[in-house]
Amino acid sequence: MATYTRTRTLSRTAARTGTRATVRHLGPNWYAAVMGTAIVASAGATLPHPIPRPVAIAVWAIAAGMLTVLLCARAVHWIHHRDQARSHLLDPKVAPFYGCLSMALLAVGGATLLVGKDVIGERAAIGVDAVLFVAGTLVGLAAAAAVPYLMVARHKISLDEASPVWLLPVVAPMVSAAQGPALLPHLPQGQWQEAMLLASYAMFGISLIATFVMLPLIFGRLVVHGPLPLVLTPTLFLVLGPLGQSTTAVNALADVAPDAISQDYASAFGAFAVVYGVPVMGFALLWFALAAALVVRALRAGMGFAMTWWGFTFPVGTCVTGASGLARHTGLDAYSWLATGLYVFLVTAVLIAAFHTVRGLVSGQLLAAPR
């Protein structure tokens, strides 16, 4: 009996040790999979012709489950592998991915209020979204300040290392700006609603100006030093994130402005949604073409699957919601067709990335120590 008890104890200890070892190399970049999955549900529900509700609910449930599992796994990582977690913060190639934690929380929260309320009820959905919105916004603002500080003060970076990954921490507040309008109607009228509206515009400005600072460095690196390494080529799609999300934000804010601020400002915000969104969406399509051409070039050169392939998902999803917003405010069918076409690309990209991710998890390759 004593031998059996010792054997069971040793087995449990070995299992716990194995679990801890498994998550040692689990980085913050894994939150990109949550973001990419969640936006399939929320973008599909906001299309001019929404996807079937049961499909959106199923995808939301998967994203919520992924977030829960990943938060637990990352907690184990921080508790048992603090040395590795610290090295991630000091690694200029990994630290920017801490912005993905914020965006994963916000994406799942927004999808919960938009889609998940059909399952858990509107009141519970509002509560879940509120908690995830506050947590995601605080984490996003912290990342937007801390990661650039580390890049300046602690990281050793040369300009030929510039990549679209640098946008991840500074685009997180833009996601908050786009998600804030959904919660605004559930706040008390008056000061609370106006504060949410203007705070969302403030976060829009934080992210937009930071993006304008980063983009010239990224494009300049491409022109001077040529295409990115094969494994990083999918990150070119990350540039679509601030473009599509900012267009989504201004359109969503214009929808709720009449209830939160004076009519003069509300009318201006409505006009701004179109005046800003149309040219930015035009540039997003130009960048989409450039990034797609470079990805085709990389595939021909032998680019294999990596977690960077999730870069094909969430940024494109923001362009879907941005185009849907412009369709609402302009009435043009062209934007409806654009949103639908981009959504087809999004779903295809998510299915491909998810298939390879599951296969890599089963084989253990994706959680192995980097070579």
Side-chain angles (χ1 to χ4, degrees), residues 227-246:
L228 294 174
L230 295 183
V231 71
L232 289 178
T233 302
T235 65
L236 290 169
F237 276 74
L238 296 180
V239 175
L240 298 176
L243 302 176
Q245 197 66 274
S246 61

Side-chain angles (χ1 to χ4, degrees), residues 14 36 47 59-60 165 191 240 245 253 273-274:
L47 284 172
V59 176
W60 160 76
V165 172
Q191 291 281 325
L240 298 176
Q245 197 66 274
L253 289 165
V274 176

Side-chain angles (χ1 to χ4, degrees), residues 262-276:
S262 67
Q263 189 58 44
D264 290 340
Y265 286 114
S267 298
F269 290 151
F272 180 65
V274 176
V275 171
Y276 171 87

Side-chain angles (χ1 to χ4, degrees), residues 63-85:
M66 290 169 63
L67 177 63
T68 302
V69 171
L70 191 53
L71 286 173
C72 293
R74 287 285 296 164
V76 172
H77 174 87
W78 270 94
I79 292 170
H80 297 288
H81 302 290
R82 293 182 183 177
D83 61 323
Q84 187 74 359

Side-chain angles (χ1 to χ4, degrees), residues 52-120:
R53 200 69 172 180
V55 175
I57 291 172
V59 176
W60 160 76
I62 293 171
M66 290 169 63
L67 177 63
T68 302
V69 171
L70 191 53
L71 286 173
C72 293
R74 287 285 296 164
V76 172
H77 174 87
W78 270 94
I79 292 170
H80 297 288
H81 302 290
R82 293 182 183 177
D83 61 323
Q84 187 74 359
R86 178 177 172 80
S87 71
H88 284 168
L89 282 171
L90 298 178
D91 187 342
K93 296 181 177 64
V94 180
F97 284 100
Y98 273 92
C100 291
L101 167 58
S102 166
M103 292 185 278
L105 294 170
L106 292 165
V108 173
T112 301
L113 183 55
L114 186 62
V115 175
K117 64 183 179 182
D118 294 357
V119 177
I120 64 175

